[in-house]
């Protein structure tokens, strides 16, 4: 009994000591100045970092030890409304946090280039972990990043970084023994940025290879060139080297001491590579040729991936759609279709009533005197779509005429290649019937959708380009630019954050395994009304009327507020009056954008 009391007393003393350490106030004036500088430059909300309160006690994402800030996490925090209007990478306050050991900004938008002082001694000397994953960072890396200080983990994946990889990141020097984990995957690195670090990678490799947890990951970029010797040197520096999903060439010599992941490249004699035609096409666009590599030596087999535990498999099985949920989805889809048809029927009835009441108005005669009139009437509600020349469209829609040069954006071919990571498979969204659809990120952080079409001397998008040159409407997805290079056409569209209607209807809540789709009935009615407005614009407000010919769920795109933007305009054509009795069989089709 006495022993039990002593143990309880020791436990209470330990809890009290931990609570006192946790609630210890900030004692550094320099740390306080740095935190308030970050609060203002990042525009953080007062509910997360409240004024007139101790940061070590009340501020979210801050951990202190001995009255100094040692851990700073802004991942998951939000900016104020004013700060969200012009977000930028402004981290000058980190210079004051001289005891900081970890900085985590993953998922927090920091559009901009990493400042040059990150590569000097201005970073906190005790900083060991730098995490900027998915932070919208762009530009090039500072040339001396990792040269000084105690950095051991640098996570920069899923950004828009480009240019060369600093050799200092791959050296084994530094207060903490060099970088042990370096993640540069899913960026816009292209060319041969690894070639200029081959000496550095092999210089201090012996010390780093002893660490079995060292990882170098630059997968999902557009690197090319002969890289066998560089990868071998990196394998002596890092235990795991991942260069998959690039366009690297040559042969792997297999002299690495660790694990090398090199799938989806252009290596010779290595399984799981890209097709020869894909590699030759990529290299031809960049003005280089593939190397005729000699027979490679055996590549060390990668360590097997860990299998998911039975509990994980059981949890995934529970995520299947139950019968009741499926019935709810079908009922919701049917109701949405009825609402859409009702609104569309109302538009047709209104248009037909106007046609019977006396045509579409009075227009000037050919001399422009205004004395002559002509009545343009539709005999009935039937339509006769024709594959006529796009020049038959007239720019008299409610959206207003546009100049033909308005759709020739200021994009260059190099910008589109850079934005889409060299049109790599990781940026490919889908193969549409009119071309390949890619997701891209421009240098300013803006997201775009790029459609690549092989023209083969035939302008397959004449009607679409003519439509965008003459019309604009809030319900039509904007075309940002168009250019042609060799035998390919490239069309850049504005990115719609919510995707298409198919994804929105079947999206599930994140907090339940089984549940109804996330769209409420107000949003569904809003989407149906938006589609009807887009159809009314094409059928009733354009002169002559236009037919879309590809209305389906994947053609209905949604912005961040679930406002409808109609896409898939490549099959649009002019609708003319006629007596065809088989209208729907001539204008309906089943295809994807």
């Amino acid at each position: 009994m006495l022993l039990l009391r002593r143990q309880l007393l020791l436990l209470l003393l330990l809890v009290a000591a931990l609570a006192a350490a946790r609630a210890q106030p900030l004692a550094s004036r320099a740390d306080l100045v740095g935190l308030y500088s970050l609060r203002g430059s990042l525009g953080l909300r007062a509910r997360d970092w409240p004024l007139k309160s101790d940061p070590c006690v009340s501020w979210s994402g801050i951990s202190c030890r001995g009255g100094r800030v040692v851990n700073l996490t802004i991942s998951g925090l939000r900016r104020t409304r004013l700060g969200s209007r012009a977000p930028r990478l402004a981290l000058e306050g980190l210079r004051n946090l001289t005891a900081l050991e970890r900085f985590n900004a993953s998922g927090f938008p920091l559009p901009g280039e990493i400042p040059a002082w990150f590569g000097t001694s201005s970073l906190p000397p005790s900083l060991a972990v730098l995490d900027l994953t998915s932070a919208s960072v762009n530009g090039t890396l500072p040339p001396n990043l990792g040269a000084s200080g105690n950095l051991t983990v640098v996570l920069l994946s899923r950004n828009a970084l480009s240019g060369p990889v600093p050799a200092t990141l791959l050296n084994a020097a530094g207060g903490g023994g060099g970088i042990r984990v370096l993640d540069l995957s899913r960026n816009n690195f292209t060319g041969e940025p690894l070639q200029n670090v081959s000496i550095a990678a092999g210089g201090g490799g012996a010390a780093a290879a002893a660490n079995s947890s060292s990882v170098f990951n630059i997968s999902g970029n557009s690197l090319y060139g002969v890289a066998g010797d560089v990868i071998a040197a990196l394998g002596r520096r890092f235990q795991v080297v991942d260069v998959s999903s690039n366009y690297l060439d040559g042969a792997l010599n297999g002299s690495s001491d660790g694990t090398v992941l090199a799938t989806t490249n252009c290596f010779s004699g290595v399984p799981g590579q890209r097709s020869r035609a894909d590699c030759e096409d990529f290299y031809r666009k960049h003005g280089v040729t593939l190397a005729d590599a000699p027979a490679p030596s055996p590549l060390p087999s990668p360590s097997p991936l860990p299998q998911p535990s039975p509990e994980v498999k059981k949890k995934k099985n529970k995520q299947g759609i139950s019968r009741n949920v499926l019935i709810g989805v079908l009922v919701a889809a049917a109701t949405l279709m009825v609402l859409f048809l009702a609104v569309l029927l109302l538009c047709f009835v209104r248009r037909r009533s106007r046609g019977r009441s006396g045509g579409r108005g009075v227009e000037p005669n050919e001399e422009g005197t205004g004395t002559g009139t002509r009545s343009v009437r539709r005999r009935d509600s039937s339509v006769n779509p024709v594959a006529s020349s796009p020049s038959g469209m007239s720019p008299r829609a409610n959206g207003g005429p546009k100049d033909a040069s308005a759709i020739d954006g200021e994009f260059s071919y190099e910008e589109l290649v850079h934005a889409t990571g060299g049109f790599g498979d990781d940026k490919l969204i889908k193969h549409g019937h009119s071309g390949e659809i890619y997701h891209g990120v421009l240098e300013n952080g803006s997201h775009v959708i790029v459609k690549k079409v092989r023209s083969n001397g035939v302008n397959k998008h004449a009607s679409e380009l003519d439509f965008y040159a003459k019309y604009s409407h809030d319900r039509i997805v904007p075309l940002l630019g168009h250019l042609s290079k060799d035998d390919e056409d490239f069309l850049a569209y504005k990115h719609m954050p919510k995707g298409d209607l198919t994804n929105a209807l079947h999206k599930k809540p994140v907090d339940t395994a089984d549940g109804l789709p996330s769209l409420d009935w107000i949003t569904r009615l809003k989407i149906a009304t938006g589609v009807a407005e887009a159809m009314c614009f094409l059928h009733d407000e354009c002169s002559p009327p236009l037919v879309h010919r590809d209305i389906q769920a994947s053609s209905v795109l949604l912005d961040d507020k679930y406002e409808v933007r109609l896409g898939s305009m490549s099959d649009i054509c002019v609708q003319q009056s006629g007596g065809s009795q088989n209208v729907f069989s001539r204008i309906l089709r089943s295809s994807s954008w």
Side-chain angles (χ1 to χ4, degrees):
M1 189 68 178
L2 181 61
L3 180 61
L4 180 60
R5 289 181 179 178
R6 290 180 178 179
Q7 291 177 347
L8 290 176
L9 180 60
L10 290 175
L11 181 61
L12 291 175
L13 291 176
L14 179 61
V15 172
L18 291 176
R22 180 180 180 87
Q24 186 175 6
L26 184 64
S28 172
R29 178 67 179 176
D31 285 7
L32 184 63
V33 172
L35 291 175
Y36 272 91
S37 175
L38 290 172
R39 186 183 186 276
S41 62
L42 298 178
L44 298 178
R45 300 184 304 173
R47 75 171 61 177
D48 297 324
W49 287 17
L51 293 171
K52 298 181 180 180
S53 61
D54 191 274
C56 292
V57 178
S58 305
W59 288 21
S60 301
I62 294 180
S63 300
C64 299
R65 186 189 313 121
R68 300 298 304 276
V69 177
V70 296
N71 187 6
L72 175 57
T73 300
I74 61 174
S75 177
L77 302 185
R78 295 174 57 187
R79 300 178 187 266
T80 62
R81 183 176 301 178
L82 182 61
S84 301
R85 294 179 181 176
R88 60 190 180 92
L89 196 155
L91 302 175
E92 286 76 9
L94 291 179
R95 301 186 183 189
N96 294 78
L97 307 179
T98 55
L100 187 66
E101 298 175 1
R102 298 174 60 92
F103 177 65
N104 182 3
S106 60
F108 189 88
L110 293 171
E113 189 170 353
I114 297 179
W117 57 266
F118 265 56
T120 63
S121 58
S122 297
L123 276 178
S126 57
L127 184 64
V129 179
L130 177 63
D131 188 353
L132 298 179
T133 304
S134 300
S136 302
V137 181
N138 54 55
T140 59
L141 294 175
N144 294 321
L145 182 62
S148 62
N150 195 40
L151 275 178
T152 57
V153 177
V154 178
L155 307 177
L156 300 173
S157 63
R158 298 181 182 273
N159 286 293
L161 296 170
S162 58
V165 178
T168 52
L169 282 176
L170 304 177
N171 287 329
I179 303 296
R180 293 198 300 267
V181 178
L182 177 58
D183 190 355
L184 302 175
S185 61
R186 301 295 184 89
N187 278 283
N188 293 337
F189 292 108
T190 188
E192 304 181 51
L194 291 179
Q195 300 301 321
N196 59 351
V197 299
S198 57
I199 298 177
N211 192 339
S212 61
S213 61
S214 58
V215 178
F216 174 72
N217 186 358
I218 198 169
S219 62
N221 287 278
S222 298
L223 306 180
Y224 60 84
V226 179
D229 294 337
V230 176
I231 293 176
L234 288 172
R236 293 188 293 271
R237 168 67 175 84
F238 296 93
Q239 185 67 22
V240 178
V241 177
D242 189 353
V243 295
S244 57
S245 298
N246 284 286
Y247 289 87
L248 298 174
D249 188 18
L252 295 178
N253 54 31
S255 62
S256 157
D257 298 331
T259 301
V260 176
L261 305 177
T263 58
T264 321
N265 276 284
C266 300
F267 290 115
S268 302
V270 180
Q273 301 299 299
R274 300 180 187 270
S275 65
R276 185 73 178 182
D278 187 13
C279 293
E280 290 178 349
D281 183 60
F282 179 87
Y283 273 70
R284 184 175 61 254
K285 291 177 180 178
H286 289 79
V288 292
T289 57
L290 284 168
D292 295 326
S297 58
L299 182 69
S301 58
S303 57
L305 296 176
Q307 298 295 328
S309 62
E311 296 181 358
V312 176
K313 292 183 178 180
K314 184 177 180 181
K315 185 176 181 180
K316 290 184 178 180
N317 293 334
K318 289 183 179 180
Q319 294 179 354
I321 301 178
S322 64
R323 181 179 179 182
N324 295 333
V325 174
L326 182 59
I327 294 176
V329 171
L330 294 177
V331 172
T335 306
L336 183 63
M337 183 60 68
V338 170
L339 291 173
F340 169 73
L341 292 177
V343 177
L344 191 61
L345 180 61
L346 179 62
C347 293
F348 275 118
V349 171
R350 185 179 62 179
R351 182 183 64 182
R352 187 171 182 180
S353 63
R354 286 205 303 265
R356 290 180 176 178
S357 63
R360 291 184 174 270
V362 179
E363 297 182 359
N365 59 8
E366 294 182 355
E367 290 75 11
T369 60
T371 57
T373 63
R374 62 175 180 176
S375 176
V376 182
R377 303 185 55 175
R378 300 181 190 175
R379 289 181 287 180
D380 51 30
S381 60
S382 65
V383 295
N384 182 23
V386 296
S388 61
S389 171
S391 60
M393 299 181 187
S394 174
R396 294 187 295 124
N398 197 27
K402 293 173 60 178
D403 230 348
S405 61
I407 63 172
D408 293 331
E410 297 180 354
F411 300 116
S412 64
Y413 175 75
E414 289 74 18
E415 288 178 323
L416 295 183
V417 170
H418 178 76
T420 58
F423 297 100
D425 294 341
D426 57 316
K427 300 291 185 179
L428 180 64
I429 298 177
K430 64 178 178 180
H431 296 278
H433 78 279
S434 59
E436 298 175 344
I437 311 300
Y438 294 86
H439 173 251
V441 181
L442 301 178
E443 292 185 354
N444 60 3
S446 301
H447 294 256
V448 294
I449 298 298
V450 180
K451 179 163 63 174
K452 182 176 72 171
V453 184
R454 291 187 179 272
S455 59
N456 296 326
V458 180
N459 191 354
K460 300 180 180 180
H461 292 272
S463 58
E464 181 178 6
L465 295 177
D466 188 77
F467 170 80
Y468 278 110
K470 296 177 179 180
Y471 302 103
S472 65
H473 195 270
D474 292 339
R475 295 303 183 186
I476 305 298
V477 62
L479 177 66
L480 303 180
H482 162 256
L483 63 89
S484 299
K485 182 176 178 62
D486 299 332
D487 59 344
E488 293 180 328
D489 288 336
F490 301 89
L491 290 83
Y493 304 87
K494 183 177 181 181
H495 176 254
M496 295 292 111
K498 298 300 182 182
D500 57 32
L501 184 57
T502 303
N503 297 329
L505 284 175
H506 299 287
K507 180 181 179 182
K508 292 182 176 298
V510 297
D511 55 345
T512 57
D514 286 330
L516 292 175
S518 59
L519 293 182
D520 55 76
W521 289 108
I522 300 299
T523 305
R524 294 167 187 263
L525 179 60
K526 177 181 180 180
I527 294 174
T529 304
V531 175
E533 290 176 356
M535 298 296 293
C536 286
F537 167 72
L538 295 177
H539 296 174
D540 199 47
E541 299 181 25
C542 294
S543 179
L546 304 177
V547 182
H548 187 277
R549 298 202 302 171
D550 193 16
I551 294 294
Q552 52 183 314
S554 61
S555 302
V556 179
L557 307 178
L558 306 172
D559 64 10
D560 55 346
K561 297 181 180 179
Y562 287 97
E563 293 291 345
V564 168
R565 295 295 186 97
L566 189 61
S568 302
M569 310 299 293
S570 57
D571 296 314
I572 195 169
C573 72
V574 176
Q575 165 189 322
Q576 295 182 348
S577 300
S580 172
Q581 300 299 320
N582 193 16
V583 175
F584 291 100
S585 64
R586 300 185 63 181
I587 65 175
L588 295 183
R589 56 175 299 171
S590 177
S591 60
S592 62
W593 187 47

